[in-house]
Amino acid sequence: MVNLALAWAEAYQKEHPDTQISVTGGGSGTGIAALINGTVSIANASRAIKSEEADKALANGIQPVEFVVARDAIAVIVNPHNPIDQLTLQQISDIYSGKINNWSELGGEDRPIVRLSRETNSGTHVYFLETVLRLGHKENKTLFSMDTLLLPSSEGITAEVKDNPNAIGYDGLGYIIPEVKVLAVAVDPAGPFVMPSAITVNDGSYPVSRDLYMYTNGQPGGALKAYLDWIIQPEAQAIVTQLGFVPVIGAIQ
Amino acid sequence: MKEQAPLPERIITRGIQAAGYSSILFVLLILYFLISEGAPAVFEVPLKDLLTVRWYPIEAYFGILPLLLGSLIVTLGAALIAIPAGVGTAVFISEVAPGWMKEILKPLVEVLAGFPSVMLGFLGILIVSPGLRQALRLPTGLTALTGSLLLAGIAIPTIVSIAEDALNNVPRAYREASWAVGATRWQTIWGVTLPAARSGVLMAVILGVGRSIGETMAVMMVTGNAPVMPLKWNALFSPIRTMTATIASEMGEVATGSTHYHVLFLIGIILFLISLAVNITATMIVFRRPKRSERILS
């Protein structure tokens, strides 16, 4: 999310040379801790604030106010010739952890499964590991199967999925090209199986998605308010799409 | 009294001296930097953990064996393709091809040598990898063999260019003497010209293969980067992960001073030692004292 915050800050400062915004990375916990300590005006976080963090903030005289500034969704993709249209989270987890090795085990053709993933340094990789492979359970220590291909770029993944009928891959919804087939995903084997789109991500029905937040101390005013108002404008949300995230629709907060 | 050289000349001499010494200084500085950043890894990760087969650094699995073997198998594959093809092409250009063809081929090879490897990587993703998958019916075309083919493509122009120069430098009298005793053209190439140009051809092979050990970009794009131990018979046809690709893709995001950071530098030290060993071997072969018979001949 640091890339998004940096891109916003850069674009905003170009338009408003009198406003200075400095952005530091380090993870959601770092940002929220800095807000609690009163050292930053805005904390960016790719998860909601925890109740113990909120308590700590109040004890420190800080009132965290939440803004949803963008959304992040991961699409699971296969080759257009693959007859599979939908999978459950459990099935995707079993594919990537190496329990399922042939498409025929899922009702597809008799082909070996080639697993594609982003490199371990990508935020998408970590989010996919936690949300899909480990199904959101903290104590779950499932790892990617050793023969998972780790590709350095989104293009690498889409190029291989486009050509290779054995492949399965995943990537941020904004990076998906029309030449690959996006799978519908369900939490429950009984359904509903949901296709990822700006609408299903925004109404929360697509399971592999999350909100991206900004937190301020109390209702923002002055330059801070101007910045947060600018962020939900179409122009700032266009940056969201460029970076492979999903823009928020309609009014927020 | 000894006459002093004029001032400009002394400045130039000193300048050239400084340039020469600075290259030694830079190598020592790089070595120092590598060791100071990489050595802590040995204390932070027990050796028995480093020598395991699982590389998943974000969960503190630091087994470097699959990376080491991955690099070795790709480079070995590349050498097996590039040495015969490169030396063969050099022999063809120098000994067999007619003059006009030589005039075209030599510059073409030199252009190939300057081809950026990232472009080769794109060719690999778009053409070589799908082609291999269909031709050999593999699950995926992103394999060690694809990497070897691209690396061979990078090494061959270097090998051809230097080996051809070496063959060209063999005096014409050697060949004429060989023809005069009734040797065929093939016997002359195999028995006289190639052995006479041996040290140059060997240098060409080592520089070419050396380039492929350190090559990163093209390999990272086509080998699939899966840290699997390449032990089964089909290892060449499966994805692997090399040391260079690991450093390149992970160094950008790693926290400075963390264990992962130190282990990446340790991998750098291993790469450094491998290329040092290759270079020392090369120097020893090229500069070994010629045998008596060879001295008389030349």
Side-chain angles (χ1 to χ4, degrees), chain A residues 107-186:
Chain A
E109 295 165 344
D110 178 21
R111 290 177 173 281
I113 296 180
V114 173
R115 312 168 181 91
L116 309 177
S117 162
R118 292 289 301 276
E119 271 286 355
T120 52
N121 60 12
S122 138
T124 314
H125 176 101
V126 177
Y127 177 58
F128 192 79
L129 174 73
E130 288 168 354
T131 315
V132 180
L133 253 82
R134 297 178 174 174
L135 303 161
H137 302 309
K138 276 260 162 352
E139 66 284 1
N140 190 333
K141 287 290 164 216
T142 310
L143 289 175
F144 279 91
S145 162
M146 278 216 272
D147 57 9
T148 306
L149 274 61
L150 300 173
L151 302 186
S153 66
S154 295
E155 292 76 32
I157 291 187
T158 40
E160 177 73 0
V161 171
K162 194 175 74 174
D163 286 341
N164 189 342
N166 306 321
I168 182 170
Y170 67 85
D171 212 343
L173 188 54
Y175 293 121
I176 302 304
I177 52 169
E179 291 94 334
V180 299
K181 177 156 133 190
V182 177
L183 295 183
V185 177

Side-chain angles (χ1 to χ4, degrees), chain B residues 208-225:
Chain B
V209 175
R211 232 195 114 178
S212 65
I213 296 178
E215 172 52 40
T216 309
M217 202 58 214
V219 167
M220 189 159 81
M221 290 165 82
V222 301
T223 52
N225 301 321

Side-chain angles (χ1 to χ4, degrees), chain B residues 10-245:
Chain B
R10 270 183 296 154
I11 294 176
I12 291 170
T13 317
R14 290 281 165 218
I16 291 172
Q17 246 174 8
Y21 288 138
S22 69
S23 70
I24 300 176
L25 181 74
F26 286 141
V27 170
L28 288 179
L29 279 178
I30 291 171
L31 188 64
Y32 168 77
F33 183 67
L34 270 181
I35 290 175
S36 72
E37 299 290 327
V42 186
F43 303 105
E44 287 165 8
V45 186
L47 197 61
K48 67 171 173 39
D49 287 353
L50 280 175
L51 299 179
T52 54
V53 299
R54 176 106 216 184
W55 175 261
Y56 196 64
I58 56 174
E59 301 263 323
Y61 292 90
F62 293 114
I64 55 174
L65 285 182
L67 312 179
L68 194 66
L69 292 181
S71 273
L72 287 182
I73 192 167
V74 171
T75 311
L76 204 70
L80 285 180
I81 302 164
I83 294 173
V87 174
T89 312
V91 166
F92 176 77
I93 293 179
S94 162
E95 308 296 313
V96 184
W100 60 269
M101 199 189 257
K102 209 182 285 192
E103 298 292 313
I104 301 171
L105 280 178
K106 189 79 201 280
L108 268 183
V109 168
E110 243 114 76
V111 168
L112 271 183
F115 203 63
S117 63
V118 70
M119 293 304 299
L120 217 59
F122 270 120
L123 282 182
I125 283 190
L126 295 177
I127 297 166
V128 182
S129 150
L132 273 182
R133 176 170 54 77
Q134 277 155 13
L136 303 176
R137 301 189 166 277
L138 300 172
T140 172
L142 300 170
T143 62
L145 181 63
T146 324
S148 292
L149 282 170
L150 290 199
L151 284 184
I154 287 170
I156 285 172
T158 311
I159 296 180
V160 172
S161 180
I162 301 174
E164 203 268 343
D165 284 342
L167 289 169
N168 240 350
N169 285 338
V170 174
R172 185 160 172 77
Y174 281 34
R175 297 179 190 111
E176 284 167 351
S178 172
W179 294 328
V181 295
T184 61
R185 183 144 82 168
W186 168 245
Q187 286 167 331
T188 305
I189 291 168
W190 190 244
V192 176
T193 325
L194 260 182
R198 189 187 51 222
S199 65
V201 171
L202 205 69
M203 205 55 175
V205 165
I206 284 171
L207 283 176
V209 175
R211 232 195 114 178
S212 65
I213 296 178
E215 172 52 40
T216 309
M217 202 58 214
V219 167
M220 189 159 81
M221 290 165 82
V222 301
T223 52
N225 301 321
V228 190
M229 286 292 278
L231 294 179
K232 276 182 266 170
W233 63 271
N234 61 352
L236 199 58
F237 305 102
S238 311
I240 49 91
R241 187 180 183 88
T242 64
M243 296 192 283
T244 48

Side-chain angles (χ1 to χ4, degrees), chain A:
Chain A
M1 171 161 195
V2 63
N3 296 333
L4 184 58
L6 279 169
W8 271 331
E10 200 181 307
Y12 189 73
Q13 286 177 89
K14 225 176 255 169
E15 283 179 39
H16 306 267
D18 49 324
T19 311
Q20 288 259 334
I21 307 168
S22 52
V23 181
T24 350
S28 301
T30 319
I32 292 173
L35 183 77
I36 295 171
N37 292 329
T39 52
V40 296
S41 322
I42 300 176
N44 296 279
S46 57
R47 59 166 171 82
I49 192 166
K50 293 175 189 158
S51 59
E52 52 271 33
E53 286 169 333
D55 293 345
K56 222 168 141 195
L58 289 174
N60 240 6
I62 306 270
Q63 290 204 325
V65 178
E66 180 179 292
F67 297 87
V68 175
V69 290
R71 297 180 216 270
D72 184 14
I74 293 178
V76 179
I77 51 175
V78 294
N79 187 271
H81 293 114
N82 192 325
I84 303 270
D85 291 316
Q86 54 187 42
L87 290 172
T88 65
L89 283 184
Q90 183 66 53
Q91 285 172 324
I92 302 172
S93 170
D94 288 346
I95 289 174
Y96 272 96
S97 62
K99 282 189 205 131
I100 297 178
N101 288 303
N102 195 302
W103 285 110
S104 61
E105 294 171 55
L106 297 162
E109 295 165 344
D110 178 21
R111 290 177 173 281
I113 296 180
V114 173
R115 312 168 181 91
L116 309 177
S117 162
R118 292 289 301 276
E119 271 286 355
T120 52
N121 60 12
S122 138
T124 314
H125 176 101
V126 177
Y127 177 58
F128 192 79
L129 174 73
E130 288 168 354
T131 315
V132 180
L133 253 82
R134 297 178 174 174
L135 303 161
H137 302 309
K138 276 260 162 352
E139 66 284 1
N140 190 333
K141 287 290 164 216
T142 310
L143 289 175
F144 279 91
S145 162
M146 278 216 272
D147 57 9
T148 306
L149 274 61
L150 300 173
L151 302 186
S153 66
S154 295
E155 292 76 32
I157 291 187
T158 40
E160 177 73 0
V161 171
K162 194 175 74 174
D163 286 341
N164 189 342
N166 306 321
I168 182 170
Y170 67 85
D171 212 343
L173 188 54
Y175 293 121
I176 302 304
I177 52 169
E179 291 94 334
V180 299
K181 177 156 133 190
V182 177
L183 295 183
V185 177
V187 180
D188 206 303
F193 288 85
V194 183
M195 289 291 286
S197 70
I199 295 164
T200 56
V201 170
N202 271 287
D203 70 16
S205 56
Y206 184 68
V208 198
S209 70
R210 58 180 175 177
D211 293 340
L212 302 177
Y213 304 93
M214 283 193 178
Y215 288 94
T216 56
N217 176 20
Q219 283 297 336
L224 212 51
K225 179 167 174 16
Y227 182 51
L228 284 164
D229 285 344
W230 174 81
I231 277 176
I232 52 166
Q233 296 305 310
E235 176 197 354
Q237 291 293 316
I239 298 174
V240 174
T241 317
Q242 273 167 28
L243 292 176
F245 296 109
V246 180
V248 286
I249 295 175
I252 57 158
Q253 160 77 23

